């Protein structure tokens, strides 16, 4: 059978890991004296991952989802030397084009579009700059200004080129694509969206396997499948954005949606009395300085919710208000400001 390959060039694209748990799932078993409930916990993608399910027959599907998570980690990890993303960055650093599979390609397309739409506030090419801050390492520190400026000159979503591959007679309409960059010093970092993307993929696989009620938590990226067995929404707590705090400032109910938070207290270090968190202003390469302590996005697609939480942390509430107003899908955005006040935008 002949396979005809056709490429299309994405000339213009409009568009993003790791955090300690931000949202704490409040799993109330309202009057369900008889019901089954089990939570499996694993450590993946540098964070704690839990899946709570409510039907014994879902055990195999949940175990399969955990194996799938390990596979996805080998796509998106920026630090594991055997990951696909690692290989992509290595190829880009040699000035070579690189063929990526469906998941990495789809995540890159989403990220490129989000970078364009947010005018670069969401920037998945900040890898070199993030490396200098080293938030995930043992010794994070404020980088030297000249070194930071040099790293920042090798960023920019518009320097990434994505070329989709269509295989017309294949079952798969999106087998992946070719990634290239004119800047051999640029590094892709999907930390702003990868956990959300993975959560969405796990949800889809679990639903295909017949799971109708479950809650996934990938280090604070919470994804709901359906509702709780008693028909009520899952209640998610929005953490008080303070060091080591286990208090909530608010709770939200979600059903078949994701709730994703970006905040100043997820990954940070203190140097000379100053707090440095991991969400960077792509214009300066330094952590965003604003009145925002955290932002939580509730949206049906977890990957997009993750992209939006990072974006809206960078842009601030005015952008979010307009975005929510114009968004054709249901969306709720909740900011916790540093003074403790809340700002909520919703089109529901
Ligand atoms: P999140 O916790 O989803 O907001 O993602 C934060 C992570 O995304 C950081 O640890 C970096 O890996 C990456 N990142 C930092 N700043 C940005 C930005 N402006 N746009 C996209 N990704 C970013
Ligand atoms: Mg994010």
């Amino acid at each position: 059978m002949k396979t005809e390959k056709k490429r299309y060039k994405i000339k213009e694209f409009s568009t993003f890991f790791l955090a300690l748990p931000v949202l704490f799932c409040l799993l109330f078993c309202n009057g369900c004296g008889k019901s089954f409930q089990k939570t499996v916990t694993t450590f993946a993608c540098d964070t704690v991952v839990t899946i709570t399910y409510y039907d014994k027959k879902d055990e195999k599907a949940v175990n399969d989802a955990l194996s799938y998570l390990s596979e996805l980690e080998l796509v998106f990890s920026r630090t594991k030397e055997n990951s696909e993303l690692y290989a992509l960055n290595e190829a880009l650093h040699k000035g070579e084009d690189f063929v990526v599979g469906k998941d990495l390609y789809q995540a890159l397309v989403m990220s490129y579009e989000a970078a364009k739409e947010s005018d670069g506030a969401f920037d998945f090419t900040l890898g070199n700059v993030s490396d200098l801050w080293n938030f995930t390492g043992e010794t994070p520190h404020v980088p030297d200004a000249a070194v930071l400026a040099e790293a920042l000159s090798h960023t920019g979503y518009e320097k990434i080129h994505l070329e989709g591959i269509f295989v017309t007679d294949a079952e798969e309409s999106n087998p992946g694509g070719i990634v290239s960059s004119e800047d051999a010093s640029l590094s892709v970092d999907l930390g702003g969206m990868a956990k959300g993307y993975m959560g969405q993929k796990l949800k889809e696989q679990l639903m295909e396997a017949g799971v109708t009620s479950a809650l996934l938590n990938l280090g604070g990226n919470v994804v709901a499948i359906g509702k709780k067995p008693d028909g009520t929404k899952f209640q998610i707590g929005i953490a008080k954005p303070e060091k080591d705090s286990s208090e909530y400032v608010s709770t939200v109910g979600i059903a078949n949606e994701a709730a994703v938070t970006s905040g100043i207290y997820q990954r940070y270090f203190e140097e000379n009395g100053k707090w440095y968190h991991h969400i960077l202003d792509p214009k300066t390469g330094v952590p965003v300085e604003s009145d925002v302590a955290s932002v939580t996005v509730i949206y049906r697609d977890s990957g997009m919710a993750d992209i939006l939480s990072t974006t809206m942390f960078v842009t601030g509430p005015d952008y979010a208000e307009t975005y929510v107003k114009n968004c054709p899908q249901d969306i709720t955005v909740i900011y916790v400001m540093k003074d403790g006040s809340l700002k909520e935008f919703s089109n529901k």
Side-chain angles (χ1 to χ4, degrees):
M1 198 187 300
K2 189 168 169 274
T3 300
E4 182 193 330
K5 281 195 179 177
K6 196 165 111 196
R7 295 175 178 187
Y8 74 98
K9 183 94 180 168
I10 295 172
K11 295 193 185 80
E12 281 199 316
F13 261 118
S14 357
T15 334
F16 353 108
F17 121 17
L18 303 174
L20 291 172
V22 184
L23 296 170
F24 297 86
C25 312
L26 307 175
L27 300 172
F28 299 117
C29 195
N30 294 340
C32 58
K34 61 168 186 49
S35 49
F36 172 89
Q37 174 181 325
K38 189 169 176 186
T39 300
V40 292
T41 305
T42 188
F43 192 82
C45 310
D46 217 11
T47 194
V48 178
V49 175
T50 63
I51 303 179
T52 301
Y53 61 104
Y54 301 88
D55 193 329
K56 231 171 173 306
K57 76 160 176 47
D58 295 339
E59 188 172 351
K60 181 177 181 308
V62 169
N63 287 334
D64 289 348
L66 294 178
S67 309
Y68 185 32
L69 177 62
S70 308
E71 284 172 30
L72 287 171
E73 190 177 8
L74 280 177
V75 174
F76 290 106
S77 171
R78 214 164 83 68
T79 48
K80 284 190 191 301
E81 295 189 9
N82 52 348
S83 83
E84 194 179 355
L85 180 57
Y86 195 96
L88 166 65
N89 279 326
E90 291 282 287
L92 295 181
H93 297 161
K94 288 185 205 145
E96 293 170 0
D97 295 3
F98 191 76
V99 177
V100 297
K102 178 184 161 192
D103 282 315
L104 188 49
Y105 190 70
Q106 198 177 336
L108 285 165
V109 169
M110 284 175 74
S111 296
Y112 193 110
E113 289 177 347
K116 190 172 177 197
E117 183 169 6
S118 66
D119 202 17
F122 183 85
D123 190 340
F124 62 101
T125 66
L126 292 173
N128 296 331
V129 179
S130 284
D131 280 351
L132 290 178
W133 289 94
N134 196 19
F135 286 100
T136 51
E138 306 247 304
T139 53
H141 60 273
V142 178
D144 173 82
V147 178
L148 183 63
E150 163 65 14
L152 197 60
S153 72
H154 298 291
T155 64
Y157 74 92
E158 68 292 338
K159 295 179 184 166
I160 290 281
H161 306 286
L162 303 171
E163 207 178 320
I165 301 169
F166 285 117
V167 183
T168 52
D169 58 357
E171 271 182 32
E172 188 58 75
S173 63
N174 172 20
I178 301 162
V179 186
S180 60
S181 175
E182 68 229 43
D183 185 343
S185 296
L186 179 149
S187 295
V188 171
D189 171 16
L190 294 169
M193 65 85 73
K195 276 191 296 173
Y197 183 92
M198 291 188 252
Q200 184 65 27
K201 291 290 147 190
L202 294 190
K203 173 179 175 172
E204 286 164 15
Q205 177 172 299
L206 285 164
M207 287 178 75
E208 270 168 34
V211 177
T212 55
S213 174
L215 195 70
L216 289 68
N217 187 343
L218 290 85
N221 284 238
V222 181
V223 186
I225 296 178
K227 293 181 182 171
K228 292 201 306 185
D230 65 4
T232 62
K233 291 185 171 187
F234 294 100
Q235 296 298 316
I236 310 298
I238 297 179
K240 191 170 185 175
E242 283 176 7
K243 204 160 136 179
D244 304 325
S245 175
S246 55
E247 289 176 50
Y248 309 120
V249 292
S250 182
T251 58
V252 285
I254 60 167
N256 220 21
E257 298 154 305
V260 181
T261 299
S262 291
I264 57 171
Y265 56 100
Q266 297 173 319
R267 281 196 190 284
Y268 63 87
F269 65 89
E270 288 173 85
E271 193 172 299
N272 297 325
K274 203 170 163 199
W275 181 295
Y276 297 92
H277 63 80
H278 68 146
I279 306 171
L280 305 171
D281 180 343
K283 291 198 176 83
T284 60
V286 303
V288 173
E289 288 188 50
S290 74
D291 300 333
V292 175
S294 78
V295 53
T296 298
V297 175
I298 296 142
Y299 190 71
R300 62 181 190 174
D301 182 278
S302 161
M304 201 57 209
D306 197 355
I307 286 179
L308 288 172
S309 69
T310 308
T311 307
M312 290 176 177
F313 186 97
V314 177
T315 62
D318 289 349
Y319 175 93
E321 186 172 14
T322 308
Y323 189 98
V324 168
K325 223 178 263 172
N326 297 328
C327 184
Q329 273 86 38
D330 287 356
I331 183 168
T332 298
V333 179
I334 303 167
Y335 281 89
V336 183
M337 309 304 284
K338 285 182 181 156
D339 65 6
S341 63
L342 300 182
K343 286 186 188 188
E344 179 170 338
F345 308 108
S346 182
N347 62 6
K348 285 189 184 178

